[in-house]
Amino acid sequence: MRFKNIHSVLIQERCKEQGISCELLVPGDEEIFVLQKGNRKIFINRGVSPIVSHMAATISENKLATNTLLQSHGIPIPEFMFCADLQHDANSFLEKHKPLVIKPFDTNKGVEIHMNVSNTEELEQAFLKVRQVSSHAILQRQAAGKDYRILLIGNELAGVLLNEWAYVTGNGKDQLDQLIATENNKRETKGTAVYDRNFKMLSPVPMEDVARALALQGLNFQYIPEEGEKIYISYCGNGWAGALAIDQTEDIHPDNLQLAREIAEITAIDVIGIDLRCEDISISYRESAFAIIEVNIRPSMVDHEYPTEGKSRRVVSQYLDYLFKKAHHE
């Protein structure tokens, strides 16, 4: 069986290593797997835990519900509001908390997330795009800092990533448009070997994001960066928007790990990806600006296994160990 998806390849190969039978429930559909070891059989939806409850899954898919739940438990969440249309309250919220992030309340994979919204025109444009994919939008204060992802499996730390914004580095000769074209072309053509397959690990950076990022820096596409000058071409830490994954698992402060465990307990999600913003994951959330952005019930494990920089973490093997350990005790 030859899989097209990198998640599927990793699950299949790690199952082989651990003596686990691995089959697709529906041939050709790489979503639901049937795993069996001895007399124990487990159904998984890739990274979604089969142990998580329907209610926990329902809440996690609704960003408003998740924010409200976490906020009620004192978890640091940036100010937010929920709206189906742009009334006066939205403009007042913008003036009070800008810049904002505008995003759908019920989608994932970075779909229609609009950063650095700072005026009424940008708010209206972002809102209209969000409403094309969702019935409601969430307006949220854009937290300062860098983007991180914490992955917990069964309350144990599996990995921490710094999701660095996409950038290009100047050579003192080429304009930004040339550097950006080269970078995106490299992302389209350069792959990473995963067992016997080749996969593209970095997404091209959307040109809409590039234009916005350059404008915020007072730059244009004709600017020529100096040798070694680093220019960010996106301010979104989502991998689907081209962010780089840098392993920082060993740097997390114990307080921040404990906070992540509290979030997993509050949301009742045993395999959870927690997105947050802070200046440095090695500094306690009690001593620095710290904001939880999102929780994910279907966290990607690929970037932990194949980070852009840093140590690879065998999180898929950890996931399988956890599932069969749980099955053994049930």
Side-chain angles (χ1 to χ4, degrees):
M1 186 185 305
R2 193 162 176 81
F3 291 119
K4 298 179 180 179
N5 190 287
I6 187 171
H7 286 89
S8 305
V9 171
L10 284 170
I11 289 170
Q12 182 189 48
E13 295 298 330
R14 297 297 163 76
C15 282
K16 286 180 184 177
E17 294 171 5
Q18 296 180 226
I20 300 169
S21 168
C22 174
E23 300 291 340
L24 294 176
L25 179 63
V26 179
D29 182 347
E30 298 182 25
E31 291 294 316
I32 301 177
F33 289 78
V34 184
L35 310 182
Q36 187 160 356
K37 189 173 186 179
N39 62 354
R40 300 189 187 95
K41 181 181 289 187
I42 296 174
F43 294 88
I44 63 170
N45 182 348
R46 298 206 297 188
V48 179
S49 168
I51 299 161
V52 74
S53 73
H54 172 73
M55 198 65 242
T58 300
I59 292 173
S60 73
E61 292 295 326
N62 183 316
K63 292 181 175 65
L64 175 66
T66 302
N67 282 0
T68 303
L69 176 64
L70 294 177
Q71 190 177 59
S72 71
H73 283 79
I75 303 298
I77 301 288
E79 295 84 353
F80 65 93
M81 70 172 292
F82 180 69
C83 56
D85 50 52
L86 290 179
Q87 301 293 345
H88 176 70
D89 287 350
N91 289 320
S92 298
F93 186 86
L94 171 68
E95 288 305 312
K96 185 175 181 180
H97 298 296
K98 64 184 179 183
L100 303 182
V101 178
I102 315 299
K103 56 188 176 182
F105 90 104
D106 57 355
T107 63
N108 53 29
K109 295 184 178 180
V111 174
E112 293 297 351
I113 293 179
H114 299 268
M115 312 282 292
N116 293 295
V117 174
S118 299
N119 58 53
T120 302
E121 181 181 357
E122 292 172 349
L123 173 61
E124 291 174 351
Q125 291 175 352
F127 181 81
L128 289 173
K129 290 182 178 181
V130 167
R131 288 287 277 108
Q132 291 175 4
V133 299
S134 179
S135 61
H136 292 75
I138 289 181
L139 282 58
Q140 190 163 35
R141 175 179 61 82
Q142 183 170 307
K146 302 171 185 175
D147 289 282
Y148 289 89
R149 158 65 66 91
I150 301 172
L151 174 65
L152 299 181
I153 297 177
N155 212 36
E156 294 299 321
L157 179 64
V160 177
L161 294 173
L162 165 62
N163 291 323
E164 185 172 16
W165 308 321
Y167 65 87
V168 294
T169 304
N171 57 19
K173 300 180 295 183
D174 293 332
Q175 296 181 166
L176 277 176
D177 56 356
Q178 296 168 295
L179 294 171
I180 293 163
T182 299
E183 175 66 19
N184 272 345
N185 182 64
K186 181 175 69 175
R187 289 166 176 244
E188 287 279 16
T189 57
K190 184 179 179 181
T192 297
V194 179
Y195 290 93
D196 65 339
R197 301 291 303 278
N198 195 55
F199 291 94
K200 290 185 293 184
M201 299 300 294
L202 289 176
S203 299
V205 185
M207 293 310 295
E208 182 179 359
D209 289 3
V210 174
R212 177 70 176 155
L214 295 185
L216 287 169
Q217 298 169 81
L219 302 176
N220 57 42
F221 286 96
Q222 287 69 50
Y223 176 71
I224 300 176
E226 297 179 4
E227 178 77 32
E229 184 179 359
K230 187 175 183 178
I231 304 293
Y232 284 107
I233 56 175
S234 172
Y235 286 119
C236 183
N238 192 291
W240 297 95
L244 291 78
I246 301 172
D247 178 71
Q248 294 198 346
T249 304
E250 295 169 5
D251 298 335
I252 187 170
H253 192 282
D255 287 350
N256 299 340
L257 176 55
Q258 180 56 35
L259 181 67
R261 287 177 169 147
E262 290 175 15
I263 292 169
E265 182 177 359
I266 291 166
T267 58
I269 303 173
D270 59 333
V271 179
I272 185 171
I274 301 170
D275 294 332
L276 60 97
R277 273 196 167 192
C278 65
E279 283 301 326
D280 189 336
I281 199 68
S282 68
I283 299 174
S284 171
Y285 76 93
R286 304 177 190 276
E287 301 172 3
S288 64
F290 200 96
I292 301 301
I293 305 303
E294 192 167 307
V295 301
N296 297 271
I297 199 169
R298 187 189 174 99
S300 171
M301 299 186 185
V302 172
D303 287 340
H304 295 278
E305 293 265 1
Y306 293 91
T308 313
E309 297 178 25
K311 184 177 179 179
S312 171
R313 307 287 168 174
R314 288 177 62 88
V315 297
V316 173
S317 297
Q318 185 175 343
Y319 174 57
L320 294 172
D321 287 341
Y322 165 71
L323 293 180
F324 280 95
K325 182 178 179 181
K326 288 288 289 186
H328 177 76
H329 290 291
E330 289 177 351

